[in-house]
């Protein structure tokens, strides 16, 4: 008899960050068929059969995925998006799209899984956002183990992984299970896209250098406040989570820590439990007391964030090349033709030092874009062939650049976006137009091409930002995409819920002056009492298994 059992809401912790997961129910689902198991040791892998596109089929496959933010308000459904319409023509496979409400993918997925009525394909982050991770999703009969299906029907992905063993190691579990068609960043230049941003025109006016050290940052922010009238010299997005790795974490690196787990000297460490975190707290507490931080930094939402930068209330922040510099530069320039936003290096304590940390993704993006095949699909082989298209030579060009003659033309041997994308006649921003005709700027089952980013970042200071922010040693300390076992994940989730609650509470109270800096030591003791050491043990065990893959 098929069963339904409740899974408690957990917090799934990965090498890169911890993410809250919503409670879900195990559906009545058909277990993965026997032929999806990996071949026995020593058995030669079967030769993958090349697929000729477009295929001929009378079947329609169902595909579940969230609408990218770049297209919200532009198109109502995926079926209306030119990329998806053309993808169906090129592969010969009709698709029925199912989209969860925007920003509610986890909740909607849980409801769907509980119903047992699953689509053929599910685009969801099973690595990070599924309680227990991908092996549990396979074990519970939600998604298929894809090893045999890839061996037989996905020659393009199979070849890519064979040619890139370092990435092959990342996209499977400790048990050797392939569980999704991955989104892969195909070049180092695609892995860095975020860092500190400042008003260069203000620096020029004040005779200040582009800040490199913490002291230079302090001097700059004081000048922005006193001489430029900035009411929030440094601002950042406080919602949905204040003081996280992606808004102010860049300044923690100057003190040798991050907001999460990292690897140093063969040991896994947790930044908020290290001395450097207290030193960073002292810095931000001081900045807040002096009025150098946005007084509302704990509650700044996206709308207020944009307003701070565009109005000139703020002269420094942390953001992306596209969603930061690319979005704000035309807006600040409209009111002040001399206004110029540029990237600043990751801060250090001593000028000339290489920053220890900074933003950097892994080649296998653990932040999304992966597509799994449901265990109840009756069309798994067809779905695999469809998804393998994205890793073919033709499919790679299509996913990155779209249709030749429409969204790109070949210029000096390079696929080059047309004015339809870069100077859209309907006044769509390049990010929106690119998302209409490609998947280059929001992930998916393909390998991202570096030529996309060189065109997407149209402003010279955007291109310069990539090289400026990339000059760090973060790769030396970055954990690979490790996966705790389902049992470890459950234990880890409970621990990290308590740990992150304590860290967030401590950080906010100390920086805003509600508690003295010396209470940091008490919080560290509390972290031990909620079993942070055990969480580190689990991470270490997962790392050891990863290294043996």
């Amino acid at each position: 008899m098929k069963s339904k059992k409740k899974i408690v809401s957990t917090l799934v912790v990965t090498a890169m960050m911890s993410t809250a997961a919503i409670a879900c129910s195990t559906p009545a689902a058909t277990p993965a068929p026997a032929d999806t198991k990996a071949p026995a040791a020593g058995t030669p892998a079967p030769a993958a059969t090349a697929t000729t596109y477009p295929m001929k089929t009378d079947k329609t496959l169902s595909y579940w995925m969230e609408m990218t933010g770049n297209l919200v308000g532009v198109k109502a459904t995926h079926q209306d998006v030119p990329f998806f319409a053309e993808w169906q023509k090129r592969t010969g496979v009709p698709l029925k799209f199912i989209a969860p409400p925007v920003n509610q993918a986890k909740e909607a997925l849980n409801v769907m899984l509980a119903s047992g009525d699953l689509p053929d394909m599910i685009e969801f982050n099973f690595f990070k956002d599924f309680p227990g991770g991908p092996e549990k999703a396979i074990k519970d009969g939600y998604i298929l183990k894809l090893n045999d299906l890839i061996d037989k029907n996905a020659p393009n992905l199979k070849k890519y992984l064979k040619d890139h063993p370092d990435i092959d190691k990342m996209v499977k579990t400790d048990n050797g299970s392939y569980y999704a068609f991955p989104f892969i960043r195909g070049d180092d230049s695609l892995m860095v896209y975020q860092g500190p941003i400042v008003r260069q025109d203000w620096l020029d006016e004040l005779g200040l250098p582009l800040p490199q050290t913490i002291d230079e940052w302090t001097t700059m922010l004081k000048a922005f406040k006193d001489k430029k009238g900035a009411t929030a010299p440094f601002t950042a997005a406080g919602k949905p989570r204040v003081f996280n790795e992606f808004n102010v974490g860049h300044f923690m690196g100057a003190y040798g820590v991050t907001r999460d787990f990292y690897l140093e000297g063969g040991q896994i460490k947790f930044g908020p439990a290290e001395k450097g975190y207290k030193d960073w707290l002292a810095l931000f507490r001081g900045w807040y007391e002096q009025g150098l931080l946005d007084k509302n930094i704990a509650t700044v939402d996206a709308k207020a964030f944009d307003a701070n930068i565009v109005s000139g209330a703020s002269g420094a922040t942390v953001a992306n090349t596209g969603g930061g510099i690319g979005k704000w530069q035309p807006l600040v320039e409209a009111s002040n033709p001399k206004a110029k936003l540029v990237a600043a290096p990751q801060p250090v304590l001593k000028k000339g030092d290489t920053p220890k940390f900074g933003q950097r993704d892994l080649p296998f993006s653990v932040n999304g874009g992966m597509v799994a095949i449901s265990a109840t699909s009756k069309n798994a082989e067809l779905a695999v062939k469809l998804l393998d298209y994205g890793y073919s030579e033709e499919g790679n060009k299509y996913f990155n650049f779209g249709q030749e003659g429409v969204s790109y033309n070949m210029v000096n041997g390079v696929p080059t976006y047309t004015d339809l994308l870069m100077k859209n006649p309907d006044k769509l921003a390049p990010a929106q137009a690119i998302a209409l005709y490609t998947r280059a700027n929001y992930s998916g089952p393909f390998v991202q091409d570096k030529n996309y980013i060189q065109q997407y970042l149209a402003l010279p200071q955007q291109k310069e930002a990539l090289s400026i922010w990339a000059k760090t040693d973060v790769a030396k300390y970055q954990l690979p995409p490790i996966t705790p076992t389902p049992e470890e994940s459950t234990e880890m989730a409970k621990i990290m819920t308590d740990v992150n609650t304590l860290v967030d509470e401590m950080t906010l109270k100390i920086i805003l002056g509600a508690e003295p800096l010396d209470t940091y030591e008490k919080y560290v003791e509390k972290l031990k009492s909620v079993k942070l050491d055990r969480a580190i043990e689990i991470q270490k065990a997962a790392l050891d298994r990863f290294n043996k893959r």
Side-chain angles (χ1 to χ4, degrees), residues 270 491-503 522-536:
F270 184 65
E491 183 181 4
M492 187 81 167
K494 183 180 185 305
I495 294 172
M496 293 310 298
T497 297
D498 295 337
V499 165
N500 285 316
T501 297
L502 278 173
V503 172
K522 294 180 182 178
Y523 276 100
V524 172
E525 288 301 314
K526 288 182 180 179
L527 288 178
K528 293 179 181 178
S529 71
V530 295
K531 300 181 180 179
L532 173 61
D533 289 345
R534 173 57 183 154
I536 291 175

Side-chain angles (χ1 to χ4, degrees), residues 64-189:
W64 187 96
M65 68 176 294
E66 189 174 14
M67 179 71 82
T68 176
N70 286 328
L71 294 181
V72 173
V74 178
K75 293 294 183 182
T77 69
H78 290 95
Q79 201 67 51
D80 300 328
V81 176
F83 172 86
F84 292 106
E86 180 67 15
W87 186 31
Q88 294 174 71
K89 291 179 183 178
R90 288 173 175 245
T91 59
V93 181
L95 296 173
K96 175 187 176 183
F97 290 96
I98 305 164
V102 177
N103 296 322
Q104 296 180 41
K106 292 180 189 177
E107 295 88 340
L109 181 80
N110 293 334
V111 172
M112 183 176 72
L113 295 180
S115 74
D117 184 14
L118 307 185
D120 293 294
M121 291 164 284
I122 304 172
E123 185 164 325
F124 182 76
N125 195 341
F126 284 94
F127 175 87
K128 186 175 71 177
D129 292 342
F130 184 81
E135 280 291 355
K136 184 162 178 57
I138 293 171
K139 180 182 178 182
D140 287 351
Y142 291 131
I143 63 175
L144 289 177
K145 179 175 178 177
L146 298 174
N147 296 49
D148 197 43
L149 284 164
I150 289 174
D151 273 340
K152 293 178 179 178
N153 303 290
N156 298 307
L157 176 60
K158 185 176 180 179
K159 182 179 186 304
Y160 184 89
L161 295 179
K162 182 180 179 181
D163 293 343
H164 300 82
D166 55 330
I167 296 176
D168 180 58
K169 186 176 179 179
M170 295 181 183
V171 303
K172 55 191 175 186
T173 69
D174 294 329
N175 292 345
S177 302
Y178 296 106
Y179 56 93
F181 280 73
F183 172 54
I184 299 168
R185 298 188 186 277
D187 190 81
D188 286 347
S189 63

